[in-house]
Amino acid sequence: MKKILILALIAATAFSCGTPKTVIESRKVIKGYWSLDAITYGAPGKYNVTLFNDASAECFEGSNWRFIPNNNTGNYTIENASCPTGQRDFVFVIQEIDPATGLYDFLLKPTNAKGKSETNVGIRLQLAQLSESSMRWEQTVNLEGKPFKINMNFSKIQD
């Protein structure tokens, strides 16, 4: 009886510590090349927003992103000639928040080409929607003391 109880505890521990199936599936779907097509806001108006401590939201629209989930790395390229152009590298982590709703946290940390972060600061986003062809990130920030939502809408270019 003791052996059965010990085996049950070991099995429960192994399953509870493993990566959730939905996160594994999300990594498969996110793999590949994406285009950041549109950035919208939770309230109407024109806003001066800098994303990822890098460039304005306008610079990010039309940027191309690549996700490599087997080592949780990726990069994005800003090609808008009126912006600081070029490729930027990052590491990312998908963490399940609530299995019932399917909501995820998405942590993105800018790095250099060798995968090292100069500031060790990441940006937490909510992976609000992910399918084979589209993805939406939401970031909630404070604006005049109130929550303000930034939506980033992607479409998949290729695997």
Side-chain angles (χ1 to χ4, degrees):
M1 187 68 170
K2 276 185 172 180
K3 289 180 183 180
I4 293 173
L5 182 60
I6 290 171
L7 287 175
L9 286 172
I10 291 171
T13 303
F15 287 114
S16 66
C17 294
T19 303
K21 183 179 178 184
T22 52
V23 171
I24 292 170
E25 290 170 359
S26 296
R27 287 181 183 158
K28 289 178 185 175
V29 173
I30 203 171
K31 178 183 178 183
Y33 295 86
W34 296 79
S35 173
L36 177 48
D37 299 323
I39 297 169
T40 59
Y41 305 104
K46 183 145 176 80
Y47 300 95
N48 183 13
V49 174
T50 299
L51 295 174
F52 311 120
N53 298 320
D54 184 10
S56 71
E58 291 80 15
C59 292
F60 274 90
E61 288 186 334
S63 60
N64 292 312
W65 294 65
R66 181 180 183 200
F67 295 90
I68 308 166
N70 67 334
N71 64 4
N72 287 357
T73 63
N75 58 62
Y76 61 89
T77 304
I78 294 178
E79 298 174 351
N80 184 331
S82 61
C83 300
T85 60
Q87 179 176 300
R88 281 85 156 164
D89 299 288
F90 60 85
V91 295
F92 70 95
V93 178
I94 300 172
Q95 297 173 320
E96 187 172 37
I97 301 173
D98 185 351
T101 62
L103 297 177
Y104 304 89
D105 262 358
F106 189 83
L107 180 68
L108 187 138
K109 184 168 31 171
T111 66
N112 61 22
K114 294 182 181 181
K116 302 293 181 196
S117 172
E118 295 175 11
T119 62
N120 205 29
V121 174
I123 295 95
R124 186 165 303 277
L125 306 150
Q126 181 182 28
L127 182 57
Q129 183 270 326
L130 178 64
S131 72
E132 294 288 337
S133 61
S134 66
M135 171 170 60
R136 187 177 77 250
W137 296 350
E138 294 177 355
Q139 183 178 22
T140 303
V141 297
N142 279 324
L143 177 66
E144 300 174 353
K146 297 178 183 174
F148 180 76
K149 194 169 285 193
I150 303 168
N151 301 296
M152 293 160 258
N153 302 290
F154 293 80
S155 62
K156 194 153 198 182
I157 300 169
Q158 70 181 38
D159 288 334

